[in-house]
Amino acid sequence: MQHKIHQAQILMDALPYIKLFNKKTIVIKYGGAAQINPELKEQFAKDIVLLYLVGIKPIIIHGGGKKINALLDKLEVKSSFVDGLRVTDDQVMEVVEMVLSGSINKEITTLLNHHGAKAIGITGKDANFIHARPMDDGKYGLVGDITKIDKKVLKHLMREKFIPVIAPIAAGDDINHPGYNINADLAASKIAVAMQAKKIIFLTDTPGVLDKEGNLISSLDKTKIKALKKDGTISGGMIPKLDACLETVRGGVECAHIIDGRVQHSILLELFTKDGIGTIIKE
């Protein structure tokens, strides 16, 4: 009986947060191990369905770098990275679109639908809802900077109770243009701002932002981030992720979270418990 009472207490502890986030939009950037490990994929889908069923409005943006690498290798298509971005020519872009909008996007929507949600997979080409231009004057080929997001498309889908699952590919201005490969973190940030989401959550393969001793930093703002960049605590791939977080909160989103997607139910633990499990970023 005590075990059952404890289960009920857990639900009651979550109630204030469920009420707080009811009918609010939460953008989730889905990547890392949570997107690869079969058990974590299943748990992620169940977590999103729970959010959906208690009245929260999730939007999912996903990447797919590892699967893109695997298919490029299989097809013997060479690709390179500059400044952490995949240089994308027409041939690479074809593979990127196959993996992101085909394989990965449909796998996510299938899982969500199987567990009781109403998910729909789209790219920025669908209804031309994301437009882009070449980043840094084409330095990275078909890697794009988002210039426009038609939020009406997402709002319409969400009014019809769909969970949008978005592959970060944007439309070009020419009908024959192959499209643009968009960094998934930046796409999630731009979409969160356009939709004026309550929160944005980045699933990663780290507990959050760590100090030099490897301890979790539970909260950050722009001043602390600047200082930690300067002393080298924040480096490598965490820099663009935090830049995306700051851009999001500057754009009106209440806060951004970087959490460990390797932890089962990490999204629920971050949203529905007092202290959360990752790093929260506010302006």
Side-chain angles (χ1 to χ4, degrees):
M1 181 61 73
Q2 281 302 120
H3 177 64
K4 292 180 179 179
I5 292 172
H6 179 64
Q7 287 180 316
Q9 187 58 52
I10 291 171
L11 293 172
M12 293 308 297
D13 289 345
L15 182 59
Y17 303 101
I18 293 172
K19 289 167 66 177
L20 179 65
F21 302 134
N22 184 257
K23 297 182 181 178
K24 299 294 193 300
T25 298
I26 293 179
V27 172
I28 298 160
K29 191 276 177 162
Y30 178 45
Q35 196 181 318
I36 303 297
N37 181 289
E39 186 175 358
L40 291 175
K41 285 193 287 189
E42 192 80 14
Q43 295 297 340
F44 170 81
K46 290 179 180 178
D47 288 356
I48 297 300
V49 171
L50 177 59
L51 299 184
Y52 172 78
L53 292 175
V54 299
I56 296 168
K57 300 176 179 178
I59 298 173
I60 299 165
I61 296 93
H62 64 85
K66 289 183 180 178
K67 286 194 174 182
I68 292 168
N69 288 341
L71 187 54
L72 286 170
D73 289 344
K74 187 175 180 180
L75 297 173
E76 298 182 349
V77 175
K78 291 184 179 180
S79 71
S80 60
F81 287 83
V82 174
D83 304 327
L85 295 171
R86 186 189 303 277
V87 177
T88 306
D89 60 18
D90 285 9
Q91 194 175 16
V92 172
M93 187 66 209
E94 187 175 355
V95 174
V96 167
E97 188 160 12
M98 285 169 60
V99 173
L100 292 181
S101 65
S103 171
I104 294 175
N105 193 273
K106 301 316 166 197
E107 179 184 55
I108 298 167
T109 56
T110 298
L111 272 172
L112 291 170
N113 291 330
H114 173 75
H115 287 294
K118 203 168 80 163
I120 186 165
I122 58 174
T123 78
K125 288 184 173 182
D126 292 303
N128 275 338
F129 98 93
I130 301 177
H131 274 262
R133 65 185 173 203
M135 181 181 283
D136 288 353
D137 297 321
K139 178 180 178 181
Y140 312 103
L142 293 170
V143 174
D145 261 332
I146 293 175
T147 56
K148 179 185 175 185
I149 294 175
D150 185 354
K151 61 186 179 183
K152 295 192 297 292
V153 174
L154 294 181
K155 286 188 172 183
H156 177 73
L157 291 174
M158 294 167 80
R159 275 197 303 270
E160 297 299 319
K161 309 297 183 185
F162 284 104
I163 298 175
V165 180
I166 303 167
I169 295 168
D173 293 328
D174 188 326
I175 192 171
N176 296 313
H177 194 282
Y180 289 101
N181 181 16
I182 308 294
N183 175 276
D185 288 345
L186 295 176
S189 172
K190 294 280 190 182
I191 289 167
V193 171
M195 297 298 290
Q196 283 299 282
K198 178 79 171 175
K199 292 176 178 285
I200 183 170
I201 298 173
F202 293 87
L203 291 180
T204 65
D205 288 344
T206 175
V209 182
L210 307 178
D211 65 20
K212 287 187 175 179
E213 285 71 48
N215 301 310
L216 177 69
I217 302 171
S218 58
S219 65
L220 286 171
D221 58 24
K222 61 183 178 183
T223 304
K224 290 180 184 176
I225 290 170
K226 184 177 180 181
L228 291 173
K229 281 182 182 179
K230 189 174 181 180
D231 72 11
T233 302
I234 295 172
S235 60
M238 189 56 74
I239 291 175
K241 200 170 293 290
L242 282 169
D243 287 346
C245 289
L246 286 175
E247 182 179 335
T248 308
V249 296
R250 278 197 297 265
V253 176
E254 187 176 285
C255 50
H257 302 251
I258 296 175
I259 67 172
D260 195 340
R262 300 168 300 180
V263 175
Q264 288 195 13
H265 306 299
S266 56
I267 294 172
L268 303 185
L269 290 168
E270 184 69 12
L271 289 178
F272 295 155
T273 63
K274 182 181 178 182
D275 297 321
I277 63 167
T279 301
I280 184 170
I281 296 95
K282 295 185 177 181
E283 192 176 16

